[in-house]
Amino acid sequence: MSIAEAAAKGVQRAWYGGSQLARIAWYTGHYVAGRRAMGSLTVPGAAPPAEKFTGFDRGRLRAAFRDLFRNDWRNIEAGLYKMPLELRRPPSLGKLARQSRDYFQDAAAIARRRNDNGHSEVMSEALSEKYPRYFLQNFHFQSDGWLSAASADRYGMQVETLFTGAGAAMRRQALPLIGRAIGARDSAALHYLDIACGDGSFAESVLDNWPGLRATALDLSPAYLGKARLNLSAYRQVRFIEARAEATGLPDASFDIITAVYLFHELPPKIRLEAAAEIARLLKPGGEFILVDTIQYGDEPGFDPLLEAFPRGFHEPYYDSYCRLDLSAHFAAASLKKGEERIAFLTKATAFRKPD
């Protein structure tokens, strides 16, 4: 490596480190202040729940957090993916101020819902005719559930704050699995589907690295799909589909790569089986499904008490059952074979392959 190349790499490393520290400080500050605003995870007057897991390891949690960013930088340095978009875009102070104000306003509403157990405010007779019951909930006790533009706008801020700035970095650890699935093939000849694409932020990171992919972004929420359209507007080859993960209506064997990010822990067990079967149906022979979701019990034993407490504080009714799910057996039932798996702080990326 020449002196100029070494200097450029040093500048890039310094930029990455400084930018990430700033992001972590911003989101950690909101997390601490938001936790104070929301109060205890236990409803006032209620007895603390019995705990099945003990031995929460805060030291290991801090180490895993640091390891996430070390691995993220190593992947960038190795050319596995680009410097992240959020570090390449200059921040808008006006946007940050709006996000901050909105986050704290919704934190107060979340505290009220938690105390009142108000997790079904979005449920209505009209909506129940269009959407499945499991979808019509205020997941995380957030305002509007998945059903408003305001919810779609604040989602990214809420996720990053929950993980104190680690959300995007955790999701990025799936990119090397996608790169391996693409291999030496021309990405412009491949079809990619992101199921439950949400606001499109993960699909955007995929297309930032492989802009030629013929992409489909699918979500059941028209509001979140609208946000994804905006975030992915630079990529003209993307099509947008409003449909359920377990019944997409898309043709058999039409995708080379499929991803699902933080979807399966929000599905009831029966629907998870249907979604796995649907993914297997949509994959071409030899195609790969990349699951990006929470770690599970036993992945990091010192974190099990944290996983156990999470659904109580944030209304995640299917979370505990997901944490106990045998992923290999679950997807083997849909004829998908488990491959490489990567744990990144509180997230796990796992590849599954459809036989040739």
Side-chain angles (χ1 to χ4, degrees), residues 9-260:
K9 184 137 309 194
V11 169
Q12 191 180 43
R13 184 185 298 110
W15 173 258
Y16 174 87
S19 299
Q20 290 292 17
L21 283 173
R23 278 172 51 81
I24 291 166
W26 169 258
Y27 290 114
T28 299
H30 282 78
Y31 177 85
V32 172
R35 289 293 307 119
R36 290 175 180 167
M38 285 186 270
S40 172
L41 297 183
T42 303
V43 176
E51 295 181 346
K52 298 176 183 177
F53 299 100
T54 58
F56 175 43
D57 191 341
R58 292 183 181 277
R60 174 59 193 142
L61 187 73
R62 290 190 291 270
F65 185 81
R66 292 192 296 268
D67 288 344
L68 168 68
F69 290 100
R70 289 193 186 104
N71 291 333
D72 192 37
W73 167 249
R74 289 187 189 117
N75 289 340
I76 295 167
E77 191 174 35
L80 297 182
Y81 47 79
K82 296 179 181 178
M83 181 73 78
L85 282 164
E86 67 267 19
L87 303 189
R88 286 158 34 205
R89 292 169 172 163
S92 164
L93 295 181
K95 181 179 179 180
L96 289 175
R98 288 192 300 273
Q99 287 178 330
S100 180
R101 182 175 61 251
D102 183 68
Y103 173 78
F104 287 118
Q105 288 175 346
D106 201 51
I110 287 171
R112 173 186 61 77
R113 285 190 197 92
R114 179 182 291 130
N115 292 338
D116 296 340
N117 199 27
H119 54 72
S120 295
E121 290 183 0
V122 297
M123 180 67 181
S124 71
E125 185 175 346
L127 289 175
S128 65
E129 295 177 358
K130 180 178 181 182
Y131 298 109
R133 177 66 186 89
Y134 71 80
F135 185 74
L136 296 176
Q137 302 185 58
N138 294 75
F139 286 99
H140 318 151
F141 292 110
Q142 69 181 19
S143 299
D144 308 324
W146 307 125
L147 293 168
S148 76
S151 171
D153 283 341
R154 72 171 63 98
Y155 176 76
M157 176 70 179
Q158 288 177 324
V159 169
E160 286 297 340
T161 300
L162 176 63
F163 295 119
T164 58
M170 290 192 297
R171 292 191 297 265
R172 271 196 299 278
Q173 304 319 298
L175 295 180
L177 300 184
I178 294 173
R180 189 164 298 171
I182 292 172
R185 294 181 292 177
D186 179 5
S187 63
L190 303 180
H191 290 82
Y192 162 61
L193 169 65
D194 189 25
I195 289 185
C197 67
D199 64 5
S201 55
F202 180 73
E204 185 181 23
S205 68
V206 173
L207 292 174
D208 180 50
N209 284 277
W210 297 281
L213 281 172
R214 301 180 187 182
T216 299
L218 181 145
D219 203 279
L220 185 53
S221 167
Y224 276 73
L225 207 59
K227 184 69 173 180
R229 286 181 187 275
L230 181 63
N231 286 336
L232 298 171
S233 60
Y235 303 96
R236 296 181 179 274
Q237 78 276 27
V238 183
R239 61 173 176 165
F240 299 88
I241 304 292
E242 184 181 332
R244 304 184 188 190
E246 70 273 24
T248 65
L250 296 169
D252 292 354
S254 49
F255 295 97
D256 301 279
I257 301 168
I258 298 176
T259 58

Side-chain angles (χ1 to χ4, degrees), residues 264-265 267-276 318 321-322 325 330:
F264 272 70
H265 77 261
L267 297 177
K270 179 178 180 293
I271 304 300
R272 280 187 211 129
L273 287 168
E274 294 176 6
Y318 315 116
S321 69
Y322 178 81
L325 184 66
H330 184 82

